[in-house]
Amino acid sequence: WRTFQKAVPSKSWQDSEYKINDIEHKSWNTESKAWKTAVKENTISAYRKYKLLYPNGQHYPQAEKKIIDLEVSDVFASGNYGQLPSMDRTGYSNSTYSTVSVRNDTQYTLTLLYSGVESKRLVISPHSSKSVRLKSGSYRIVASVNASNVRNFAGREELMGGSYDVSYYIQTSRF
């Protein structure tokens, strides 16, 4: 129907919007159909719609992982980010998990997205700290703050078990 709308003048559309809405509604009216639709579309908005419609849905955790992975991919694909500083490994362990302690030394709410073996979102209030436990492995990480004049930062880390510390701050420089 969308192809039809592009091919003909809008006055010829008649009931095409109704048909499109009917088709879209049917593809979201059960959880299994909604999940299949979200996977087929593979967009942040489709996974968010699934989560909104089915907050206790069977695929809710996978939808959240896909959202984080797509958000991280969008930042990396844009190339418009600063280089995230590396974490300091402060403890060693043969564990399959790593614990990352993060200090937000900014005046803004800091959001970290970890995309890798697991995908997690960590939101930290200004001048606060939080920790996240992640399965060891390779991660792409994106850091952003709730300020329109501060760009995203991104980087890669290999977590090998044990503990890691990192502190994020914003430094202003004039050119």
Side-chain angles (χ1 to χ4, degrees), residues 53-166:
L53 292 172
Y54 301 98
N56 297 314
Q58 173 183 346
H59 302 285
Y60 192 95
Q62 292 110 308
E64 180 62 15
K65 178 176 180 11
K66 292 297 284 182
I67 290 168
I68 292 168
D69 292 345
L70 289 168
E71 288 174 341
V72 168
S73 290
D74 286 351
V75 171
F76 273 83
S78 77
N80 185 22
Y81 57 85
Q83 184 60 42
L84 205 57
S86 296
M87 298 179 204
D88 293 323
R89 191 169 187 194
T90 57
Y92 294 83
S93 162
N94 289 331
S95 174
T96 57
Y97 284 90
S98 298
T99 301
V100 180
S101 299
V102 182
R103 172 85 186 146
N104 176 7
D105 282 326
T106 76
Q107 61 186 343
Y108 306 105
T109 298
L110 173 67
T111 300
L112 293 163
L113 302 176
Y114 296 89
S115 175
V117 180
E118 292 184 283
S119 297
K120 291 194 178 180
R121 180 183 314 271
L122 187 64
V123 179
I124 309 171
S125 300
H127 306 290
S128 299
S129 297
K130 276 192 179 177
S131 294
V132 62
R133 187 172 183 248
L134 297 163
K135 288 183 182 174
S136 297
S138 297
Y139 286 87
R140 293 184 308 162
I141 305 165
V142 169
S144 62
V145 295
N146 60 338
S148 60
N149 60 336
V150 179
R151 69 181 173 161
N152 293 327
F153 280 74
R156 297 176 188 273
E157 289 284 351
E158 184 72 32
L159 301 179
M160 298 178 285
S163 54
Y164 296 80
D165 287 341
V166 65

